[in-house]
Amino acid sequence: MGSVSLNTPPTGMPHVPEPDLHQVLTPEGHRRPDHDLDPWLEDLTPRRLAELHRDMVVIRRLDTECTHLQRQGELALWPPLLGQEAAQVGSAAALHAEDFVFPSYRENGVAYLRGVDPLGLVRLWRGSTYAGWDPREVNLAAQQIIIGAQSLHAVGHAMGQQRDASTAVTLAYFGDGATSQGDVNEAMVFAASFHAPVVFLCQNNQWAISEPVSLQARRHIADRPWGFGIPAMRVDGNDVLAVMAATRRALERARNGGGPTFIEAVTYRMGPHTTADDPTRYRSAEEVEAWRAKDPIDRVEAHLAALLPEASPDGDAGPGLTVEAVREESGRAADEMAARLRAGLAEITDPGPEALFEHVYAEPHHELERQREHYRLYLAQFDGEQLDARPREGSR
Ligand SMILES: Cc1ncc(C[n+]2csc(CCOP(=O)(O)OP(=O)(O)O)c2C)c(N)n1
């Protein structure tokens, strides 16, 4: 048998047309008609566009601030979302408050938009807490580091919603690399078999750490779910309108008993995988530059620039809405969030080593108590003060 290159598709495969890439806003900011998505954007006003712009600017700032905080030694690690703002804002904007979301570790922007205090995120990535928020308060599960595991949790949760005859549905986020994981494939089998009200949102950011998507997906990722009996849509993930419309469509389908849908949002991770990664070791500067031209925030600004002069002074946009005003409003919102974040850092306290044993089980547990006591004695060998599990001030 001859050797087969990993990077060339196997020969003899029947030609199947590639699914279209749905796009509503071109990289130049022009609105394109899209038969499937346009009906889901009928309520879109310049004011709403301005809000989507603001949310993208704010989460980009959150991301930049946290990347800097990691470099300053304030955070242990940070997984940047730079470049993925449209995928996160567009999908989060489509959710109803009662819907439940299962994120991976990169959906820090989604967490913010669900109402998580940025300080919760900072505490999490600083290592000062195991979960930076109460999942029930914001209908967002704790972040998942195990690749793809949350897709199974999401399907189980959606099946519960189905049995409760709830109008709420579930959204699971994962990356392109996660689609190679057994969990995601098992989740799709269950979702299809039980007609679960769940939306799988894959942010295909082209890289699973240093592995390109082309290595693990010989066809578009959106081709695969059809094999499980799950309809899929491939959208421009840097187009906030396309992502919002596709997610609204999929969530409503689930809400109305239509079962699961899969969305592949084609985007790009502009930064490193995490602050511990150096992407220049595995990808070219030309590739990064090519994606920079598709920036999700720039294209909304370009669209607003073309749109606003035509908005009537007393129209939806409100009097005096200009691109400059939108930029200013968004910048101000980002500044306010960043100031709150920096000020909040001083409030962070270390939980103490015994916090590890809290919130593991719903009820006190003999074995847990035995382990806790064992750990207490172990720590006592080094420093008696460490027995004090109360939060300590000024431990930065
Ligand atoms: C089960 C499991 N295997 C391996 C890892 C190590 N790991 C962390 S991130 C990552 C790549 C994930 O890539 P992708 O799913 O595309 O998500 P992205 O980071 O691009 O958002 C891997 C393999 C892990 N966390 N969990």
Side-chain angles (χ1 to χ4, degrees), residues 55-374:
D55 288 346
M56 288 197 286
V57 168
V58 170
I59 69 165
R60 179 171 290 186
R61 181 65 173 278
L62 172 73
D63 192 63
T64 317
E65 288 288 332
C66 288
T67 303
H68 291 166
L69 286 173
Q70 195 282 330
R71 296 300 186 220
Q72 290 161 4
E74 296 282 0
L75 305 188
L77 190 73
W78 181 256
L81 60 82
L82 188 67
Q84 299 181 220
E85 294 85 355
Q88 297 205 12
V89 168
S91 52
L95 287 158
H96 292 184
E98 73 269 20
D99 295 337
F100 204 94
V101 179
F102 287 84
S104 81
Y105 43 83
R106 205 176 295 286
E107 278 71 58
N108 292 301
V110 174
Y112 176 79
L113 297 167
R114 283 309 268 173
V116 168
D117 189 300
L119 212 54
L121 286 164
V122 164
R123 287 172 70 235
L124 182 77
W125 290 102
R126 190 183 171 87
S128 304
T129 180
Y130 296 106
W133 58 88
D134 179 345
R136 286 183 212 85
E137 270 174 20
V138 286
N139 284 340
L140 175 79
Q143 282 175 321
Q144 181 57 261
I145 305 284
I146 304 167
I147 299 300
Q150 74 278 17
S151 57
L152 283 168
H153 307 159
V155 174
H157 190 272
M159 287 167 63
Q161 289 169 322
Q162 187 181 44
R163 279 152 182 73
D164 290 345
S166 167
T167 54
V169 297
T170 299
L171 177 71
Y173 288 94
F174 46 81
D176 44 290
T179 62
S180 297
Q181 198 73 23
D183 285 9
V184 172
N185 293 272
E186 289 167 25
M188 284 199 273
V189 172
F190 265 82
S193 301
F194 290 94
H195 215 59
V198 63
V199 175
F200 298 112
L201 201 141
C202 173
Q203 288 179 78
N204 174 2
N205 67 8
Q206 312 300 321
W207 290 91
I209 313 187
S210 56
E211 299 299 349
V213 64
S214 57
L215 183 68
Q216 43 193 331
R218 300 300 180 85
R219 299 198 52 81
H220 289 307
I221 285 173
D223 286 336
R224 290 191 198 168
W226 294 97
F228 293 92
I230 298 176
M233 191 179 235
R234 192 164 177 263
V235 300
D236 183 336
N238 282 14
D239 171 358
V240 71
L241 299 186
V243 179
M244 183 169 81
T247 316
R248 280 178 165 181
R249 184 174 177 263
L251 289 168
E252 279 313 295
R253 183 169 179 271
R255 229 180 284 288
N256 295 323
T261 306
F262 189 107
I263 298 170
E264 177 189 356
V266 181
T267 181
Y268 194 74
R269 159 166 65 74
M270 295 298 293
H273 169 69
T274 67
T275 44
D277 171 47
D278 173 8
T280 63
R281 293 178 61 190
Y282 54 81
R283 67 188 191 187
S284 70
E286 293 76 44
E287 179 183 308
V288 179
E289 279 316 302
W291 279 92
R292 204 180 300 283
K294 302 179 192 174
D295 186 86
I297 299 180
D298 288 353
R299 81 173 67 180
V300 170
E301 285 187 17
H303 184 58
L304 280 168
L307 191 71
L308 285 179
E310 291 178 20
S312 70
D314 51 358
D316 285 330
L321 190 69
T322 61
V323 188
E324 284 68 35
V326 172
R327 272 202 209 103
E328 266 175 43
E329 267 181 45
S330 300
R332 211 174 308 122
D335 286 347
E336 280 169 20
M337 182 280 303
R340 270 206 334 271
L341 184 72
R342 293 262 172 186
L345 268 183
E347 296 164 18
I348 294 182
T349 52
D350 279 349
E354 286 187 50
L356 181 68
F357 296 92
E358 286 158 21
H359 310 299
V360 179
Y361 293 96
E363 302 288 334
H365 186 280
H366 170 74
E367 178 58 16
L368 194 68
E369 197 39 56
R370 192 192 64 76
Q371 289 179 18
R372 182 187 210 131
E373 186 54 27
H374 190 267

Side-chain angles (χ1 to χ4, degrees), residues 372-389:
R372 182 187 210 131
E373 186 54 27
H374 190 267
Y375 192 49
R376 209 191 298 251
L377 292 170
Y378 169 76
L379 291 174
Q381 296 177 74
F382 305 105
D383 178 1
E385 283 183 26
Q386 287 192 36
L387 285 175
D388 184 356

